[in-house]
């Protein structure tokens, strides 16, 4: 695996790599089995795979965890190499945001919903860095996790609006056997907090179960999930919402053939966690 720090280096690698499709997996490092599933999908669908590790400062708000975000570069490189990644782009902030950098991509209302509502500016940071990473690497396909469902909606909007020549591939959430969705931020949790965090997936499961038994009313589904969340005093709820997956606008009733996104976010201690599920009535 070639590790490249500069934009010019990636472009040179791309020219030298010749024909064949490139799958791209952008990450902030602290890689886990969820990232590995993206890398495997990228490998299966493309001739070559490139990944990036860049803890993007512009998607963190003041007081968020930018400075303490887990940085595990050596272990990440080992995982990427084992998954057959050909190129790792790992720039310093100054390479991505040199003095005078001032462009920002605002995707509009979808960027201000769910996490965009509680983390103002977050999705402008995400959209801008992802557009820049696409421009640098020029992939045919790029791979993202469904766990960041609002990020997926934002990036779909951006790719559509800007006619970016890249196909977004969204991979399912990877969970621990007990239901906890994998996240780089799970490393922050103490053993007790890790148990408390299970309330998120439990709440989603309760609503899924109700929907499977025919419930269609959003208020009832949300109430059921909220009741489960309420059982865990350690959880400080940020949002619980049933929304249309592309626009993130609220859904009042589940309709056959129209999957709705049930999404939750909250803090366990100082750790902000998110989780979601798609409810697909038949
Ligand atoms: O999902 C992430 O890890 C980040 O938001 C991304 C897409 C790499 C942009 O910094």
């Amino acid at each position: 695996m070639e590790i490249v720090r500069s934009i010019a280096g990636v472009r040179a690698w791309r020219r030298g790599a010749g024909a064949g499709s490139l799958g791209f997996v952008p990450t902030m490092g602290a890689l886990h089995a969820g990232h590995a599933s993206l890398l495997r999908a990228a490998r299966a669908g493309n001739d070559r795979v490139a990944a990036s590790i860049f803890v993007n400062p512009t998607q963190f708000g003041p007081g968020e965890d930018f400075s303490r975000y887990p940085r595990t570069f050596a272990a990440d490189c080992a995982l990427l190499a084992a998954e057959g990644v050909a190129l790792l782009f790992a720039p310093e902030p100054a390479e991505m945001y040199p003095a005078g950098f001032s462009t920002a991509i605002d995707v509009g209302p979808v960027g201000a919903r769910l996490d965009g509502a509680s983390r103002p500016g977050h999705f402008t940071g995400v959209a801008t860095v992802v557009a820049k990473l696409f421009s640098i690497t020029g992939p045919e396909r790029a791979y993202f996790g469904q766990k960041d469902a609002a990020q997926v909606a934002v990036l779909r909007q951006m790719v559509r609006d800007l006619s970016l020549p890249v196909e977004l591939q969204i991979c399912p959430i990877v969970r621990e056997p007990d239901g906890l969705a994998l996240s780089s931020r799970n490393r922050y949790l103490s053993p007790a907090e890790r148990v408390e965090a299970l309330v998120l997936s439990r709440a989603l499961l309760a609503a899924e179960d109700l929907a499977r038994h025919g419930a269609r009313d959003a208020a009832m589904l949300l109430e059921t999930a909220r009741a489960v969340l309420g059982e865990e005093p350690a959880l400080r709820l940020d949002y619980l919402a049933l929304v249309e997956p592309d626009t993130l606008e609220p859904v009042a009733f589940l309709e056959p053939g129209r999957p709705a996104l049930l999404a939750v976010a909250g803090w366990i201690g100082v750790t902000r966690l998110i989780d979601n599920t798609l409810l697909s009535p038949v």
Side-chain angles (χ1 to χ4, degrees):
M1 180 175 77
E2 203 170 318
I3 301 176
V4 174
R5 303 278 180 185
S6 71
I7 294 166
V10 177
R11 295 222 159 105
W13 177 85
R14 195 78 169 99
R15 278 194 301 276
S21 62
L22 181 68
F24 176 50
V25 182
T27 82
M28 299 206 299
L31 303 180
H32 50 65
H35 296 108
S37 77
L38 304 182
L39 294 162
R40 275 174 211 159
R43 230 182 137 196
N46 300 275
D47 298 308
R48 265 176 294 278
V49 177
S52 62
I53 295 180
F54 179 60
V55 185
N56 173 35
T58 68
Q59 69 188 75
F60 290 80
E64 290 189 349
D65 56 344
F66 173 67
S67 53
R68 70 186 185 101
Y69 196 82
R71 287 159 171 90
T72 58
F73 192 72
D76 291 349
C77 286
L79 185 147
L80 294 169
E83 294 297 343
V85 169
L87 174 92
L88 168 61
F89 178 45
E92 292 297 327
E95 179 71 3
M96 292 295 278
Y97 302 118
F101 184 100
S102 75
T103 298
I105 296 180
D106 179 346
V107 299
V110 74
R113 298 187 178 128
L114 301 190
D115 306 279
S118 31
R119 304 181 67 189
H122 169 65
F123 284 130
T124 297
V126 170
T128 306
V129 81
V130 170
K132 181 155 178 155
L133 289 167
F134 285 174
S135 153
I136 294 165
T137 54
E140 274 69 30
R141 295 175 198 86
Y143 295 76
F144 297 88
Q146 170 63 20
K147 195 186 128 260
D148 299 310
Q151 171 169 282
V152 168
V154 162
L155 295 177
R156 281 197 203 286
Q157 179 88 44
M158 176 182 81
V159 165
R160 204 167 47 237
D161 289 352
L162 300 182
S163 307
L164 299 182
V166 56
E167 210 179 280
L168 298 186
Q169 300 283 337
I170 310 307
C171 300
I173 296 177
V174 179
R175 297 181 181 279
E176 302 276 11
D178 60 8
L180 185 69
L182 293 193
S183 162
S184 302
R185 291 188 166 96
N186 291 350
R187 293 165 200 250
Y188 298 149
L189 300 170
S190 69
E193 288 175 331
R194 202 199 157 289
V195 173
E196 291 159 358
L198 293 175
V199 73
L200 298 180
S201 53
R202 241 186 0 255
L204 297 176
L205 269 178
E208 266 175 24
D209 204 40
L210 204 63
R212 204 173 304 116
H213 286 92
R216 297 287 175 262
D217 181 24
M220 185 191 279
L221 292 161
L222 289 168
E223 197 181 298
T224 298
R226 196 168 287 114
V228 176
L229 295 170
E231 289 165 8
E232 179 46 75
L235 175 74
R236 187 156 56 89
L237 187 63
D238 179 359
Y239 66 72
L240 171 72
L242 187 68
V243 297
E244 201 281 318
D246 279 335
T247 62
L248 306 183
E249 283 187 294
V251 162
F253 289 96
L254 295 184
E255 283 172 37
R258 298 190 63 181
L261 175 73
L262 180 62
V264 63
W267 288 268
I268 297 283
V270 295
T271 305
R272 186 173 182 281
L273 298 172
I274 59 175
D275 200 352
N276 69 80
T277 185
L278 280 171
L279 302 181
S280 312
V282 281

